[in-house]
Amino acid sequence: MTKKRLGVLTSGGDCPGLNAAIRAVVSHAKLSYGWEVLGIPYGTQGLMDRKPAIELTAHGLDLRGIDPLLNMGGTILGSINKGDTIANTDKILAGCEALGLDAIVAIGGDGSLSILSELAKRGGWKLIGIPKTIDNDVGLTERAIGFDTAVNTVVDALQKLSSTAASHDRVMVVETMGRTAGHLALNAGIAGGADVILIPEVPYTVEGICNKIHELHETWKQNFALVVVAEGARTLAGESRKYTDLQGNKRLRGIGDYIADSLSQCMNNRVEVRVTVLGHVQRGGMPSALDRILASSFGRAAVDLVAAGESGRVVVWRNGDVDSVSIEELCLHSPRLVDPYSGLLKTAQAIGTYVGEVDHLP
Ligand code: F6P
């Protein structure tokens, strides 16, 4: 096996488990194959700006034998989820060329992987992807790095909110991230005992939520409720809550407040409603055990694909093990939304959760 110089980068919004994946890539590439590994700071932005690459060692941030990468949140390489890559293609390709890499392992969501795949074709790079996102909406993989930790973060918040909700007879509305996908809200809502779970894939009505809260009170003498709402949740008319930021980008924001105000109105102010927007807390913290295992397995498999001379592929999680698919195929199947007829949604309904107007699904 000839000695290789491998580049590794993180791209898109960060999440817990990125450093664990970097650690696995570096350890396997160095210990099993004896390759050199360079960390590319800030992904394509770093290549464009010619930011100095970081020489990574098998005990990257070794502190008397303690390697913190396994449990550190965020990414030691930095990441960006904005910028005009197409307009800067030549600069990015030149930056990559200057590093003299044999292959790149990119840890990113489907958006980043699709852009990088295009650059790889133009620059003749060998590219292997590793999927990450707390939204868990990357196609053809059952899991992406970061999702499990984010679910646990939301569940922790729900548990804490349930006691104060019960003490004050309040409705707690908890807004989660997820963009157009409801995986995070649905999984955390079930695990955290939510009474209402609103996701983009199933439209809701305010009346439906009010009826549920009324039923809890009348039938079960439960005077409080937990409402989990994904940032992209939509009404029957297809309306979500959006705003345009100063750069002109459309962003999802405000669904928690909207639901709270609508509930207060619908219930004639008979209930007290409070809102918690979890925001970027969901992207922070130490990765869960499951995310560390996933990140380690993905890192190992990505390096093996490089060793096998593969390119243009992404490692994915299927049936409890790592597999790989082509980046193009994966992007074609992204974003992967919640199947409204899935067992998980049926589970939520079966245990008494209002999950929207399922009768109005196509
Ligand atoms: O895709 C991950 C995600 O955290 C989404 O759930 C969320 O809408 C978005 O990123 C937030 O991005 P930003 O970091 O730009 O605020």
PDB file of all heavy atoms in Angstrom, residues 6 23 31 50 57 97 100-101 113 135 186 188 190 216 223 249 308 313 357:
ATOM      1  N   LEU A   6      -4.177  12.188   3.204  1.00  0.00           N
ATOM      2  CA  LEU A   6      -5.643  12.264   3.260  1.00  0.00           C
ATOM      3  C   LEU A   6      -6.071  13.593   3.866  1.00  0.00           C
ATOM      4  O   LEU A   6      -5.521  14.014   4.888  1.00  0.00           O
ATOM      5  CB  LEU A   6      -6.144  11.099   4.137  1.00  0.00           C
ATOM      6  CG  LEU A   6      -7.651  10.904   4.297  1.00  0.00           C
ATOM      7  CD1 LEU A   6      -8.300  10.563   2.961  1.00  0.00           C
ATOM      8  CD2 LEU A   6      -7.927   9.781   5.297  1.00  0.00           C
ATOM      9  N   ARG A  23     -11.649  11.813  14.718  1.00  0.00           N
ATOM     10  CA  ARG A  23     -10.724  10.962  15.484  1.00  0.00           C
ATOM     11  C   ARG A  23     -10.614   9.570  14.851  1.00  0.00           C
ATOM     12  O   ARG A  23      -9.507   9.022  14.711  1.00  0.00           O
ATOM     13  CB  ARG A  23     -11.248  10.847  16.915  1.00  0.00           C
ATOM     14  CG  ARG A  23     -10.508   9.871  17.806  1.00  0.00           C
ATOM     15  CD  ARG A  23     -11.222   9.849  19.158  1.00  0.00           C
ATOM     16  NE  ARG A  23     -10.555   9.011  20.123  1.00  0.00           N
ATOM     17  CZ  ARG A  23     -10.915   7.759  20.382  1.00  0.00           C
ATOM     18  NH1 ARG A  23     -11.898   7.189  19.711  1.00  0.00           N
ATOM     19  NH2 ARG A  23     -10.271   7.070  21.305  1.00  0.00           N
ATOM     20  N   LEU A  31      -2.937   4.529  11.966  1.00  0.00           N
ATOM     21  CA  LEU A  31      -2.519   3.289  12.631  1.00  0.00           C
ATOM     22  C   LEU A  31      -2.613   2.075  11.702  1.00  0.00           C
ATOM     23  O   LEU A  31      -1.752   1.203  11.718  1.00  0.00           O
ATOM     24  CB  LEU A  31      -3.361   3.045  13.894  1.00  0.00           C
ATOM     25  CG  LEU A  31      -3.325   4.176  14.934  1.00  0.00           C
ATOM     26  CD1 LEU A  31      -4.247   3.880  16.107  1.00  0.00           C
ATOM     27  CD2 LEU A  31      -1.907   4.418  15.418  1.00  0.00           C
ATOM     28  N   ARG A  50      -7.059  29.647   1.568  1.00  0.00           N
ATOM     29  CA  ARG A  50      -5.735  29.031   1.817  1.00  0.00           C
ATOM     30  C   ARG A  50      -5.371  29.055   3.315  1.00  0.00           C
ATOM     31  O   ARG A  50      -4.244  29.378   3.686  1.00  0.00           O
ATOM     32  CB  ARG A  50      -4.633  29.741   1.032  1.00  0.00           C
ATOM     33  CG  ARG A  50      -4.850  29.798  -0.463  1.00  0.00           C
ATOM     34  CD  ARG A  50      -4.495  28.469  -1.096  1.00  0.00           C
ATOM     35  NE  ARG A  50      -4.705  28.518  -2.531  1.00  0.00           N
ATOM     36  CZ  ARG A  50      -3.737  28.453  -3.439  1.00  0.00           C
ATOM     37  NH1 ARG A  50      -2.492  28.279  -3.075  1.00  0.00           N
ATOM     38  NH2 ARG A  50      -4.017  28.493  -4.723  1.00  0.00           N
ATOM     39  N   THR A  57      -2.607  14.088  14.301  1.00  0.00           N
ATOM     40  CA  THR A  57      -1.903  12.878  14.735  1.00  0.00           C
ATOM     41  C   THR A  57      -2.911  11.935  15.385  1.00  0.00           C
ATOM     42  O   THR A  57      -3.999  12.349  15.770  1.00  0.00           O
ATOM     43  CB  THR A  57      -0.789  13.215  15.745  1.00  0.00           C
ATOM     44  OG1 THR A  57      -1.403  13.769  16.909  1.00  0.00           O
ATOM     45  CG2 THR A  57       0.213  14.199  15.178  1.00  0.00           C
ATOM     46  N   GLU A  97      -5.647  21.768  -4.625  1.00  0.00           N
ATOM     47  CA  GLU A  97      -4.481  21.306  -5.411  1.00  0.00           C
ATOM     48  C   GLU A  97      -3.186  21.557  -4.640  1.00  0.00           C
ATOM     49  O   GLU A  97      -2.296  20.692  -4.568  1.00  0.00           O
ATOM     50  CB  GLU A  97      -4.485  22.091  -6.738  1.00  0.00           C
ATOM     51  CG  GLU A  97      -3.332  21.836  -7.652  1.00  0.00           C
ATOM     52  CD  GLU A  97      -3.684  20.807  -8.722  1.00  0.00           C
ATOM     53  OE1 GLU A  97      -4.791  20.906  -9.251  1.00  0.00           O
ATOM     54  OE2 GLU A  97      -2.838  19.918  -8.958  1.00  0.00           O
ATOM     55  N   GLY A 100      -1.915  18.948  -2.175  1.00  0.00           N
ATOM     56  CA  GLY A 100      -1.389  17.685  -2.697  1.00  0.00           C
ATOM     57  C   GLY A 100      -2.043  16.453  -2.083  1.00  0.00           C
ATOM     58  O   GLY A 100      -1.361  15.489  -1.718  1.00  0.00           O
ATOM     59  N   LEU A 101      -3.380  16.490  -1.976  1.00  0.00           N
ATOM     60  CA  LEU A 101      -4.092  15.387  -1.315  1.00  0.00           C
ATOM     61  C   LEU A 101      -4.368  14.235  -2.285  1.00  0.00           C
ATOM     62  O   LEU A 101      -4.620  14.452  -3.474  1.00  0.00           O
ATOM     63  CB  LEU A 101      -5.429  15.885  -0.758  1.00  0.00           C
ATOM     64  CG  LEU A 101      -5.355  17.035   0.249  1.00  0.00           C
ATOM     65  CD1 LEU A 101      -6.752  17.567   0.541  1.00  0.00           C
ATOM     66  CD2 LEU A 101      -4.674  16.565   1.540  1.00  0.00           C
ATOM     67  N   LEU A 113     -22.508  17.701   0.813  1.00  0.00           N
ATOM     68  CA  LEU A 113     -21.950  16.577   0.040  1.00  0.00           C
ATOM     69  C   LEU A 113     -22.223  16.757  -1.447  1.00  0.00           C
ATOM     70  O   LEU A 113     -21.388  16.412  -2.292  1.00  0.00           O
ATOM     71  CB  LEU A 113     -22.510  15.243   0.546  1.00  0.00           C
ATOM     72  CG  LEU A 113     -22.054  14.846   1.964  1.00  0.00           C
ATOM     73  CD1 LEU A 113     -22.709  13.541   2.404  1.00  0.00           C
ATOM     74  CD2 LEU A 113     -20.535  14.724   2.042  1.00  0.00           C
ATOM     75  N   ASP A 135     -30.936  16.867  12.055  1.00  0.00           N
ATOM     76  CA  ASP A 135     -32.257  16.720  11.420  1.00  0.00           C
ATOM     77  C   ASP A 135     -32.523  15.276  10.997  1.00  0.00           C
ATOM     78  O   ASP A 135     -33.670  14.893  10.778  1.00  0.00           O
ATOM     79  CB  ASP A 135     -32.354  17.615  10.174  1.00  0.00           C
ATOM     80  CG  ASP A 135     -32.077  19.076  10.482  1.00  0.00           C
ATOM     81  OD1 ASP A 135     -32.123  19.448  11.666  1.00  0.00           O
ATOM     82  OD2 ASP A 135     -31.814  19.839   9.532  1.00  0.00           O
ATOM     83  N   LEU A 186     -40.430  14.221  16.405  1.00  0.00           N
ATOM     84  CA  LEU A 186     -41.219  12.993  16.596  1.00  0.00           C
ATOM     85  C   LEU A 186     -40.529  12.037  17.577  1.00  0.00           C
ATOM     86  O   LEU A 186     -41.146  11.547  18.528  1.00  0.00           O
ATOM     87  CB  LEU A 186     -41.439  12.310  15.241  1.00  0.00           C
ATOM     88  CG  LEU A 186     -42.236  11.003  15.256  1.00  0.00           C
ATOM     89  CD1 LEU A 186     -43.623  11.204  15.865  1.00  0.00           C
ATOM     90  CD2 LEU A 186     -42.381  10.423  13.840  1.00  0.00           C
ATOM     91  N   ALA A 188     -38.080  12.670  19.786  1.00  0.00           N
ATOM     92  CA  ALA A 188     -37.951  13.254  21.128  1.00  0.00           C
ATOM     93  C   ALA A 188     -39.317  13.365  21.791  1.00  0.00           C
ATOM     94  O   ALA A 188     -39.451  13.156  23.000  1.00  0.00           O
ATOM     95  CB  ALA A 188     -37.286  14.621  21.038  1.00  0.00           C
ATOM     96  N   ILE A 190     -41.931  11.426  21.446  1.00  0.00           N
ATOM     97  CA  ILE A 190     -42.353  10.111  21.961  1.00  0.00           C
ATOM     98  C   ILE A 190     -41.561   9.786  23.234  1.00  0.00           C
ATOM     99  O   ILE A 190     -42.130   9.432  24.274  1.00  0.00           O
ATOM    100  CB  ILE A 190     -42.152   9.008  20.892  1.00  0.00           C
ATOM    101  CG1 ILE A 190     -43.129   9.214  19.733  1.00  0.00           C
ATOM    102  CG2 ILE A 190     -42.353   7.620  21.505  1.00  0.00           C
ATOM    103  CD1 ILE A 190     -42.920   8.280  18.547  1.00  0.00           C
ATOM    104  N   LEU A 216     -57.371  16.001  27.787  1.00  0.00           N
ATOM    105  CA  LEU A 216     -56.464  15.661  28.901  1.00  0.00           C
ATOM    106  C   LEU A 216     -57.074  16.110  30.222  1.00  0.00           C
ATOM    107  O   LEU A 216     -57.044  15.391  31.225  1.00  0.00           O
ATOM    108  CB  LEU A 216     -55.100  16.354  28.714  1.00  0.00           C
ATOM    109  CG  LEU A 216     -54.225  15.861  27.566  1.00  0.00           C
ATOM    110  CD1 LEU A 216     -53.009  16.766  27.405  1.00  0.00           C
ATOM    111  CD2 LEU A 216     -53.781  14.418  27.805  1.00  0.00           C
ATOM    112  N   ASN A 223     -53.945  18.741  34.094  1.00  0.00           N
ATOM    113  CA  ASN A 223     -54.120  20.175  33.853  1.00  0.00           C
ATOM    114  C   ASN A 223     -52.937  20.836  33.171  1.00  0.00           C
ATOM    115  O   ASN A 223     -52.836  22.055  33.122  1.00  0.00           O
ATOM    116  CB  ASN A 223     -54.380  20.886  35.191  1.00  0.00           C
ATOM    117  CG  ASN A 223     -55.667  20.396  35.807  1.00  0.00           C
ATOM    118  OD1 ASN A 223     -56.573  19.948  35.098  1.00  0.00           O
ATOM    119  ND2 ASN A 223     -55.740  20.438  37.124  1.00  0.00           N
ATOM    120  N   ASN A 249     -32.076  35.774   3.224  1.00  0.00           N
ATOM    121  CA  ASN A 249     -32.369  34.333   3.291  1.00  0.00           C
ATOM    122  C   ASN A 249     -33.673  34.091   4.038  1.00  0.00           C
ATOM    123  O   ASN A 249     -33.917  34.699   5.079  1.00  0.00           O
ATOM    124  CB  ASN A 249     -31.256  33.584   4.053  1.00  0.00           C
ATOM    125  CG  ASN A 249     -29.897  33.855   3.461  1.00  0.00           C
ATOM    126  OD1 ASN A 249     -29.704  33.692   2.265  1.00  0.00           O
ATOM    127  ND2 ASN A 249     -28.962  34.294   4.300  1.00  0.00           N
ATOM    128  N   ALA A 308      -9.598   1.311  -0.667  1.00  0.00           N
ATOM    129  CA  ALA A 308     -10.045   0.440  -1.762  1.00  0.00           C
ATOM    130  C   ALA A 308     -10.090   1.186  -3.094  1.00  0.00           C
ATOM    131  O   ALA A 308     -10.532   0.628  -4.112  1.00  0.00           O
ATOM    132  CB  ALA A 308     -11.420  -0.139  -1.427  1.00  0.00           C
ATOM    133  N   ARG A 313     -18.516   8.231  -3.011  1.00  0.00           N
ATOM    134  CA  ARG A 313     -19.432   7.429  -2.195  1.00  0.00           C
ATOM    135  C   ARG A 313     -19.591   8.011  -0.783  1.00  0.00           C
ATOM    136  O   ARG A 313     -18.728   8.759  -0.314  1.00  0.00           O
ATOM    137  CB  ARG A 313     -18.948   5.979  -2.101  1.00  0.00           C
ATOM    138  CG  ARG A 313     -18.937   5.302  -3.483  1.00  0.00           C
ATOM    139  CD  ARG A 313     -18.797   3.809  -3.388  1.00  0.00           C
ATOM    140  NE  ARG A 313     -19.968   3.090  -2.921  1.00  0.00           N
ATOM    141  CZ  ARG A 313     -21.043   2.866  -3.654  1.00  0.00           C
ATOM    142  NH1 ARG A 313     -21.132   3.334  -4.885  1.00  0.00           N
ATOM    143  NH2 ARG A 313     -22.060   2.184  -3.165  1.00  0.00           N
ATOM    144  N   GLU A 357     -53.420  16.280  11.696  1.00  0.00           N
ATOM    145  CA  GLU A 357     -54.639  15.804  11.033  1.00  0.00           C
ATOM    146  C   GLU A 357     -54.294  14.651  10.081  1.00  0.00           C
ATOM    147  O   GLU A 357     -54.268  14.818   8.855  1.00  0.00           O
ATOM    148  CB  GLU A 357     -55.297  16.973  10.283  1.00  0.00           C
ATOM    149  CG  GLU A 357     -55.674  18.127  11.196  1.00  0.00           C
ATOM    150  CD  GLU A 357     -56.685  17.720  12.287  1.00  0.00           C
ATOM    151  OE1 GLU A 357     -57.711  17.099  11.939  1.00  0.00           O
ATOM    152  OE2 GLU A 357     -56.428  18.007  13.473  1.00  0.00           O
TER     153      GLU A 357
END
